[in-house]
Amino acid sequence: MAVSIAKQGYNLGHGEHGDHEHELVIYQETRDMRLLGFVLFLGSDVVLFSAFIFAYIYLRTTVSPTWPPILDGHQLPRLDTAFAAVNSVVLFGSGVTMHYALENWKHGNRPRYNLFMLLTILLGAGFLGGQAYEYAHAQIGGWSGSIFGASFFTLTGMHGFHVFVGVVYLIVLWLQTQRNVYDQERYFGLTAGTLYWHFVDVIWVALFFLFYLW
Amino acid sequence: MATLAPGVKTGSYHAVLDHIHPEPTSFIRKYIFSIDHKVIGIQYMITGGLFFLIAGLLAEIIRVQLLSPQNTFVTAATYNQVYSMHGSAMVWMVIIPLVTGAFGNFVMPLQIGARDVAFPWLNLAAFWMFPVAGVILFSSFLIGAPDAGWTEYPPISLQGPPGTTMWCIAIFLIGISSTLTGINFIVTIVKMRAPGMTFTRMPLFVWAQLATAGLSFIATTALAGALLALFLERTFGVPFYDPKHGGSPLLWQHMFWFYSHPAVYIMILPAFGIVSEVLPTFSRKPIFGYKMIAFSSVAIALLGFSVWAHHMFTSGMVPWLQLPFMILTMVIAVPTGIKIFSWMATLWGGSIRWTTPMLFATGFLITFTCGGLTGFFLAAVPADYHEHGTYFVVAHFHYVLYGGSVMGLFAGIYYWWPKMTGRMYDERLGQIHFWITFLAFNGTFMPMHWLGLMGMPRRVPYYDPAYQFWNQFASVSSFVLAASMLLFLYNLFTSFRSGKIAGPNPWGARTLEWMIASPPPYYNYKKIPAVLATPYDFGNPLPYIGLDAAPGATEATPTMSSHPVPAY
């Protein structure tokens, strides 16, 4: 999906007609279709996360008598909520900077767009770094030790993978804007990137609540 | 700029497609890696048809084994692999790709007056995942195919042969394909209808595809989650399902059936759509209750998500949950009943022509209704305690899937064959094919009801001699059923080689795809027509303006019900 958009999202606007108005109408129609397709794609991704979230809730409420569960005779510790809270702020902060990056693009403020976009990429990468640190230090018996580790590492790992894909996507978008692939009327790639980034944020809200606060 | 009917004001999306792809000239781009929805539809049909033959042969192995109580035709271990693969292949590699991928792709864009689907390249990618997934699935026989049934319940599937992991990968891949196709179809139907084709003027097949696409893009992703977890557990020992390591096998059943029950409707709704096209055409009557049929498809799709736990009544589920799931399951009979009665009312007093597609559509009505009624028995918790895991269940879902989906598929193939190839098939052979199919089908699966009620469990290679007679009866019938496929293939093959030229509209049908040449040209519509009404009002003039009709299309299209019916 993302590949097809990156490939065609802009090029379609270039007709051989040379009629700017006409091109723009065609671009808007294409964009509407791509937007609906992209939102549906994110919707199906939400279902994928929901399946694992359901699995986590199900395992925790019906299978394990205590939480965190007992492994080899001793109860596993809770996860480090304070550290995860700081890391969450980093991720949510990147959502804010992404919003301003898109707004500045729409208003044609290139320097500020560049600033916010690069900040978003940095914060996203920072979140991934924090997650790597957390994985290395979490004392919950590893991925295959218990259902705690299984659901924690699978769910946050899936989310981390989405963040990683998002960071790569944003870097590609930033390079494209440096090469003037988008203009002020036609920037569907940026809209899709922003949607994707907010989607990753929203999923993290659920995961943070489930794993650290519950 | 796209050419539109004169005087049509619209923000049409067809303009876009002029810019996407010129007609390819090389063989590979035209027939192998095509982005034309019609070619992709036919590719799905050929690939799915091949898999159908393989999965059908697996079924015959089952029936040969069951000819006598202690048959040694295959070992018990092989038998487990055979029925597991038969079920998996029929569900994922045959029926779902054929009803959505083949018919949805070929027919739906034509019926809404579009030049292609919304994302043709995505369509190409989604198609090619399908043969790859099929090859992965079938080659699992080389290293030991999955042997825990098509449902692959853990912990059995966790201990299954190595091929079970390949099964996970193959189904995951076909799931991605199905999700992408669903998204593609929703965007196509929502955004690319011809001007004037409001939602309440869409052909009913398009409504069915819309409801199906909604189901497949949501439900299939849940299955992907379940498969991913099974894959992780088998490969890395991540404990989701194994009770020895703190997991829960019931979790698989919840996640699997949250997909697989809606998948039942993914398999049947497009067949409903096919029947809704065939019945009015050959009764020459407006379809009865257009809106009720359309909305009941959506109602079935929505309700389909709320009934999964009826598969788990005997799995140790919390008892108080059984009642709501029983009631919700039974409620699905309401929209389904609405459809059945609307179809019967359409037939009522019509000038019926018993062509092959019409025979299959009415055969569908009879056998699917029987399958639906036995579903009612299984939905009732107390009855289910007796019937669960017996041949009664096997009989039920074959009545729904063979008597429903596959009969609908046959109706669709015969109905749209002239449109796809431009040639007619041998009508007499088609009718013989129907009667053999209908009788042999009932001969195969009807006895399974008695066997189930007598207590014969499913998935067994050996059985009590008391069940022998009806098993042999079913087996012999199934050989006849398989043989009828040869007749069918012979008919299609000779038709393709030397059939009579069909012309644009051999049936005198009224939906848009019949208004252009057969087979349709690369761009479908030179001019996009505007739509004024539903296509089913036989007796009124055609509801299209600005249609650049194919030569002969209008002559062969009676606009009044008294108009002489064209020869076929």
Side-chain angles (χ1 to χ4, degrees), chain B residues 32-328:
Chain B
I32 311 290
F33 296 110
S34 174
I35 49 171
D36 181 0
H37 72 96
K38 300 186 288 298
V39 178
I40 293 180
I42 289 169
Q43 285 176 322
Y44 268 110
M45 200 158 285
I46 294 169
T47 321
L50 282 176
F51 292 155
F52 185 62
L53 294 180
I54 301 175
L57 282 177
L58 292 174
E60 296 307 323
I61 295 177
I62 299 175
R63 289 317 318 174
V64 172
Q65 169 69 19
L66 295 180
L67 271 171
S68 68
Q70 298 292 328
N71 203 344
T72 50
F73 180 65
V74 289
T75 64
T78 315
Y79 183 81
N80 289 343
Q81 301 186 357
V82 166
Y83 73 70
S84 305
M85 289 289 284
H86 164 70
S88 307
M90 280 295 187
V91 169
W92 283 298
M93 301 298 159
V94 178
I95 297 180
I96 292 179
L98 281 180
V99 293
T100 59
F103 282 99
N105 258 312
F106 190 92
V107 179
M108 181 272 286
L110 290 172
Q111 285 196 328
I112 63 172
R115 292 209 166 104
D116 207 331
V117 291
F119 308 113
W121 287 97
L122 192 70
N123 206 14
L124 169 75
F127 166 70
W128 277 100
M129 290 176 199
F130 165 46
V132 171
V135 169
I136 295 177
L137 183 71
F138 285 115
S139 51
S140 70
F141 268 119
L142 299 175
I143 57 168
D147 62 358
W150 78 281
T151 55
E152 289 297 313
Y153 279 1
I156 308 171
S157 58
L158 294 175
Q159 299 145 10
T164 313
T165 309
M166 286 168 81
W167 179 90
C168 287
I169 296 168
I171 309 302
F172 194 84
L173 205 56
I174 195 79
I176 296 174
S177 161
S178 168
T179 306
L180 295 179
T181 304
I183 291 173
N184 210 342
F185 281 10
I186 292 177
V187 178
T188 308
I189 295 171
V190 170
K191 295 283 189 191
M192 293 174 65
R193 282 163 291 132
M197 183 178 282
T198 57
F199 274 108
T200 48
R201 287 177 187 168
M202 289 195 311
L204 285 166
F205 181 75
V206 179
W207 264 108
Q209 287 291 339
L210 183 62
T212 309
L215 274 176
S216 54
F217 105 90
I218 294 174
T220 312
T221 332
L223 176 73
L227 288 169
L228 183 60
L230 187 66
F231 177 81
L232 292 176
E233 180 148 1
R234 279 185 60 90
T235 318
F236 303 109
V238 182
F240 281 102
Y241 302 126
D242 192 348
K244 279 205 302 270
H245 300 102
S248 162
L250 268 187
L251 174 63
W252 167 266
Q253 296 190 23
H254 278 297
M255 300 215 303
F256 182 83
W257 288 116
F258 183 77
Y259 160 79
S260 286
H261 196 79
V264 171
Y265 302 107
I266 295 176
M267 290 185 264
I268 198 66
L269 280 172
F272 288 170
I274 292 170
V275 168
S276 308
E277 299 293 329
V278 171
L279 289 181
T281 296
F282 295 110
S283 311
R284 306 219 65 76
K285 261 185 72 192
I287 192 149
F288 183 89
Y290 168 88
K291 281 188 187 171
M292 291 311 280
I293 292 185
F295 297 158
S296 63
S297 289
V298 180
I300 290 172
L302 292 175
L303 275 171
F305 279 114
S306 61
V307 301
W308 79 90
H310 67 220
H311 295 268
M312 301 164 60
F313 286 155
T314 59
S315 300
M317 196 177 67
V318 201
W320 62 264
L321 264 176
Q322 292 180 338
L323 187 64
F325 276 108
M326 172 171 114
I327 292 169
L328 281 166

Side-chain angles (χ1 to χ4, degrees), chain A residues 106-163:
Chain A
K106 286 186 197 163
H107 293 107
N109 191 339
R110 283 298 198 88
R112 284 182 70 100
Y113 158 79
N114 281 332
L115 172 73
F116 280 118
M117 194 67 169
L118 291 174
L119 255 178
T120 312
I121 294 168
L122 272 180
L123 288 170
F127 173 81
L128 284 177
Q131 209 174 22
Y133 177 85
E134 192 184 13
Y135 276 20
H137 291 82
Q139 300 292 319
I140 56 172
W143 198 17
S144 49
S146 71
I147 49 173
F148 187 19
S151 35
F152 172 75
F153 285 111
T154 308
L155 255 173
T156 57
M158 253 166 55
H159 178 265
F161 177 71
H162 276 77
V163 175

Side-chain angles (χ1 to χ4, degrees), chain B residues 458-544:
Chain B
R458 59 195 281 209
R459 299 175 175 138
V460 287
Y462 316 114
Y463 54 87
D464 192 298
Y467 307 131
Q468 188 175 9
F469 174 75
W470 285 118
N471 266 308
Q472 286 179 340
F473 191 92
S475 289
V476 173
S477 303
S478 85
F479 303 150
V480 178
L481 191 59
S484 77
M485 282 302 290
L486 298 175
L487 188 68
F488 171 65
L489 291 175
Y490 170 78
N491 194 359
L492 295 192
F493 184 71
T494 48
S495 159
F496 188 73
R497 286 278 305 273
S498 54
K500 204 161 70 89
I501 299 296
N505 192 359
W507 309 128
R510 294 171 56 97
T511 39
L512 261 173
E513 78 270 27
W514 300 103
M515 305 297 135
I516 52 172
S518 314
Y522 184 71
Y523 252 45
N524 298 352
Y525 297 96
K526 221 185 283 172
K527 286 183 192 160
I528 304 291
V531 181
L532 308 174
T534 60
Y536 301 109
D537 292 329
F538 291 89
N540 286 324
L542 283 167
Y544 310 114

Side-chain angles (χ1 to χ4, degrees), chain A:
Chain A
M1 197 84 188
V3 174
S4 117
I5 286 163
K7 218 171 94 183
Q8 297 184 15
Y10 176 72
N11 293 338
L12 277 173
H14 285 302
E16 54 283 7
H17 301 277
D19 174 5
H20 183 69
E21 287 296 308
H22 176 55
E23 271 183 30
L24 215 57
V25 168
I26 291 174
Y27 175 75
Q28 280 163 359
E29 289 168 353
T30 327
R31 185 200 55 196
D32 286 358
M33 281 162 53
R34 273 152 214 277
L35 194 64
L36 179 59
F38 197 76
V39 168
L40 292 174
F41 166 71
L42 291 181
S44 73
D45 225 359
V46 168
V47 179
L48 181 64
F49 276 101
S50 307
F52 278 97
I53 288 171
F54 167 80
Y56 172 72
I57 295 172
Y58 181 83
L59 290 172
R60 178 165 171 174
T61 52
T62 64
V63 176
S64 180
T66 61
W67 200 265
I70 293 161
L71 183 67
D72 301 331
H74 66 274
Q75 197 166 11
L76 295 170
R78 284 189 68 91
L79 293 157
D80 188 347
T81 309
F83 180 81
V86 174
N87 213 16
S88 308
V89 171
V90 171
L91 186 66
F92 298 144
S94 76
V96 176
T97 55
M98 188 68 218
H99 171 79
Y100 282 112
L102 184 67
E103 285 303 307
N104 279 301
W105 179 270
K106 286 186 197 163
H107 293 107
N109 191 339
R110 283 298 198 88
R112 284 182 70 100
Y113 158 79
N114 281 332
L115 172 73
F116 280 118
M117 194 67 169
L118 291 174
L119 255 178
T120 312
I121 294 168
L122 272 180
L123 288 170
F127 173 81
L128 284 177
Q131 209 174 22
Y133 177 85
E134 192 184 13
Y135 276 20
H137 291 82
Q139 300 292 319
I140 56 172
W143 198 17
S144 49
S146 71
I147 49 173
F148 187 19
S151 35
F152 172 75
F153 285 111
T154 308
L155 255 173
T156 57
M158 253 166 55
H159 178 265
F161 177 71
H162 276 77
V163 175
F164 173 74
V165 170
V167 169
V168 175
Y169 188 11
L170 293 186
I171 291 173
V172 171
L173 284 175
W174 186 75
L175 291 174
Q176 284 184 326
T177 50
Q178 299 314 297
R179 295 172 57 205
N180 295 319
V181 171
Y182 304 106
D183 63 23
Q184 232 176 288
E185 285 155 338
R186 290 175 279 208
Y187 51 87
F188 177 73
L190 288 177
T191 315
T194 313
L195 271 175
Y196 182 87
W197 201 252
H198 290 328
F199 153 78
V200 169
D201 268 1
V202 169
I203 296 289
W204 185 251
V205 175
L207 298 193
F208 184 73
F209 171 80
L210 283 174
F211 285 110
Y212 300 97
L213 300 182
W214 184 23

